[in-house]
Amino acid sequence: MRKNIVAGNWKMNKNLQEGIALAKELNEALVADKPHCDVIICTPFIHLASVTPLVDGNIIGVGAENCADKVSGAYTGEVSAEMVASTGAKYVILGHSERRAYYHETVDILTEKVKLALANGLKPIFCIGEVLEEREAGKQNEVVAAQLASVFSLSAEDFSKVILAYEPVWAIGTGKTATPEQAEEIHAYIRSLVADKYGKEVAENTSILYGGSCKPSNAKELFAKPDVDGGLIGGASLKVADFKGIIDAFK
Ligand code: PGA
């Protein structure tokens, strides 16, 4: 059966010392009160090598928020999937709407990133989701189907290592959450696309997370939906009490 997962996305927050303190505090809280789901924290690159040895790897997985679309070489400022993996990180967020919008990451670029992540043993947390105008025009299904092309070029074996995250862009950092019904409707649709492509068994085993203004007060209702397998958490992952409150939705 598929896993329930709560993953944090720190984005461009916390300097090194603050990030270490946050990871330590979260680790202590979860060692003392074991989660009933998988927990992942995705941090800025510079935190990875310090944070991975500091957390209990049986309780908290660590991931990056991005990786390069090239193997290595003269790409000033980039960080490769191999470098991420060498820190002990096991996951990488790819295709986040902020990367798509502000850094012009296309389906083709993301296809390369996904392949390189998998080739280096990293599990992609692959994000899809529509912007407000697309939702208002009723185009959300079309949009997510097109975005999935980056992972639908994979073999079934590789695809089974991918975690999907549906994040409606209009809900990210806005305080405006999708209703549990809206989330369930599109998660079920996404799962049906996976079933069409890879078969029912792969689809049933794919974790599909919801992201966008998820907080302790709405997590339980969202995660109770049959096709919502957890959350990708931005703002609320920066405070242990909030992040743990969301993790505890699975208790
Ligand atoms: P948010 O961000 O929880 O702050 O809305 C979610 C995300 O962008 O992953």
Side-chain angles (χ1 to χ4, degrees):
M1 254 329 260
R2 58 184 178 263
K3 287 179 171 168
N4 290 322
I5 301 169
V6 173
N9 173 12
W10 290 5
K11 308 196 180 184
M12 197 172 74
N13 293 296
K14 306 285 175 192
N15 66 29
L16 181 60
Q17 290 73 30
E18 291 164 347
I20 288 172
L22 175 60
K24 267 192 190 155
E25 192 190 336
L26 178 69
N27 190 60
E28 277 163 24
L30 296 184
V31 166
D33 183 18
K34 301 253 169 9
H36 292 192
C37 62
D38 282 13
V39 174
I40 301 168
I41 49 175
C42 296
T43 80
F45 292 127
I46 63 131
H47 297 66
L48 293 173
S50 305
V51 163
T52 45
L54 196 146
V55 298
D56 181 340
N58 295 316
I59 300 179
I60 302 177
V62 177
E65 300 171 12
N66 182 27
C67 71
D69 62 337
K70 302 287 192 300
V71 175
S72 66
Y75 301 101
T76 303
E78 288 295 295
V79 175
S80 71
E82 191 204 344
M83 292 172 185
V84 169
S86 74
T87 67
K90 303 272 185 260
Y91 300 89
V92 59
I93 296 174
L94 292 173
H96 192 279
S97 60
E98 288 150 19
R99 300 293 318 173
R100 292 180 193 265
Y102 308 149
Y103 302 97
H104 316 294
E105 294 192 1
T106 61
V107 167
D108 290 344
I109 290 171
L110 290 169
T111 303
E112 289 308 305
K113 292 190 178 200
V114 166
K115 277 193 216 151
L116 287 167
L118 288 164
N120 287 284
L122 297 172
K123 290 193 163 93
I125 301 173
F126 189 75
C127 305
I128 55 179
E130 80 287 354
V131 300
L132 184 61
E133 301 83 79
E134 291 162 340
R135 165 70 56 170
E136 283 173 349
K139 290 195 169 144
Q140 62 273 18
N141 286 7
E142 233 176 274
V143 170
V144 298
Q147 291 170 333
L148 281 168
S150 300
V151 284
F152 278 4
S153 57
L154 298 171
S155 67
E157 193 193 337
D158 273 344
F159 180 82
S160 66
K161 296 168 191 147
V162 174
I163 298 161
L164 295 177
Y166 168 69
E167 300 202 303
V169 180
W170 45 271
I172 295 178
T174 57
K176 196 172 184 286
T177 321
T179 64
E181 292 69 33
Q182 280 174 322
E184 172 57 24
E185 186 181 30
I186 194 154
H187 279 230
Y189 172 69
I190 293 163
R191 198 177 307 284
S192 77
L193 294 176
V194 176
D196 290 347
K197 176 75 193 172
Y198 294 106
K200 209 167 159 38
E201 195 185 330
V202 172
E204 282 304 316
N205 286 317
T206 302
S207 296
I208 308 177
L209 314 184
Y210 168 80
S213 298
C214 195
K215 27 186 195 263
S217 59
N218 59 26
K220 211 176 178 108
E221 243 193 314
L222 284 159
F223 300 170
K225 290 291 175 191
D227 288 293
V228 179
D229 307 310
L232 180 56
I233 319 300
S237 72
L238 298 172
K239 284 203 186 106
V240 170
D242 289 346
F243 194 50
K244 185 160 182 306
I246 294 170
I247 291 165
D248 287 346
F250 279 114
K251 286 205 161 158

